[in-house]
Amino acid sequence: MTFYDAKTKAKQILKSKLGEAIALSIIYSILLGLLDLIAGIGGLLFGSILLMGYYTCLIDLGTNKKFAIEKMFSQLNGETFTTRMIISIIKRVYLFLWSLLFFIPGIIKSYSYMLTEFIAMKEPDLTPTECINESRRLMDGHKMNMFVLDLSFIGWHLLCILTFGIGYIFLTPYINQTKIEYINANILQIREE
């Protein structure tokens, strides 16, 4: 799947489900912001857990499953809660340490670790380190593609800045749905073959 195909599919999904996608993005952003504000390290402890719930809802939007905002909190309970919290901590600590080596290594590693939450969702029996290592393995050869995909939205980011950030209400679901579609079609398929 090309970038164009992923963007087209994301637009088709959002055409009929834009309200749900916007509500989902706003709730996710507010919760993450509140966690950081209230707990200080809330994003560190619960960031990956909320992100997995957010991804679950976006994947449901793309597969025409019944949309339920409650699924965003589906990762907060169960036997894997501690593992998911450890994933969140380890991933952020690794990214912080890589960022200490200057800015560029931190960016490169953020792309290396970007599938960690997807893998943890698909394979809950893996340890946090195994999820991170599997993400690194799968992203070999795909980091530049994801970076270019992110760069392809630069014009939209500039337009959103001109609207004093209001445009992000629409742009954020579009970007995230595009990434989900591209990752599912091009990167996670490798793992399933």
Side-chain angles (χ1 to χ4, degrees), residues 19-35 46-61 66-78 80-81 84 117 121 172-173 176:
E20 293 97 334
I22 288 173
L24 183 65
S25 293
I26 289 172
I27 291 170
Y28 171 72
S29 298
I30 288 171
L31 286 174
L32 202 54
L34 284 174
L35 280 172
F46 299 104
S48 286
I49 295 168
L50 277 177
L51 188 60
M52 285 182 227
Y54 180 61
Y55 284 162
T56 300
C57 290
L58 287 177
I59 290 167
D60 283 356
L61 283 177
K66 185 174 185 253
F67 177 77
I69 201 84
E70 301 85 37
K71 282 192 175 180
M72 191 151 129
F73 308 103
S74 64
Q75 306 296 320
L76 290 172
N77 56 24
T80 58
F81 175 75
R84 292 181 183 340
E117 288 82 6
M121 286 167 30
T172 301
N176 290 324

Side-chain angles (χ1 to χ4, degrees), residues 1 6-7 9-10 13 24 51-63 114-115 117-118 121-122 146 149 153 172-189:
M1 177 180 280
K7 288 179 177 185
K9 187 167 182 191
I13 292 166
L24 183 65
L51 188 60
M52 285 182 227
Y54 180 61
Y55 284 162
T56 300
C57 290
L58 287 177
I59 290 167
D60 283 356
L61 283 177
T63 56
M114 83 181 322
L115 299 180
E117 288 82 6
F118 283 103
M121 286 167 30
K122 287 184 177 273
M146 292 307 296
L149 180 60
F153 292 105
T172 301
Y174 175 50
I175 290 173
N176 290 324
Q177 195 67 49
T178 301
K179 285 183 178 182
I180 293 282
E181 298 307 319
Y182 186 80
I183 287 168
N184 272 334
N186 295 322
I187 302 170
L188 291 180
Q189 294 295 5

Side-chain angles (χ1 to χ4, degrees), residues 1-3 6-7 55 107-115 118 135 138-154 157 175-188:
M1 177 180 280
T2 65
F3 296 154
K7 288 179 177 185
Y55 284 162
I107 292 172
I108 292 169
K109 285 301 177 179
S110 71
Y111 284 102
S112 290
Y113 301 153
M114 83 181 322
L115 299 180
F118 283 103
S135 176
L138 288 174
M139 286 303 293
D140 276 348
H142 293 283
K143 291 185 284 286
M144 183 57 85
N145 290 343
M146 292 307 296
F147 179 70
V148 171
L149 180 60
D150 283 339
L151 283 180
S152 73
F153 292 105
I154 198 101
H157 286 292
I175 290 173
N176 290 324
Q177 195 67 49
T178 301
K179 285 183 178 182
I180 293 282
E181 298 307 319
Y182 186 80
I183 287 168
N184 272 334
N186 295 322
I187 302 170
L188 291 180

Side-chain angles (χ1 to χ4, degrees), residues 74-122:
S74 64
Q75 306 296 320
L76 290 172
N77 56 24
E79 304 153 1
T80 58
F81 175 75
T82 306
T83 304
R84 292 181 183 340
M85 188 181 293
I86 293 169
I87 286 171
S88 189
I89 293 168
I90 291 173
K91 181 179 171 183
R92 280 167 178 72
V93 167
Y94 282 179
L95 288 174
F96 172 74
L97 293 174
W98 278 106
S99 296
L100 291 177
L101 296 173
F102 296 113
F103 194 60
I104 303 298
I107 292 172
I108 292 169
K109 285 301 177 179
S110 71
Y111 284 102
S112 290
Y113 301 153
M114 83 181 322
L115 299 180
T116 303
E117 288 82 6
F118 283 103
I119 293 163
M121 286 167 30
K122 287 184 177 273

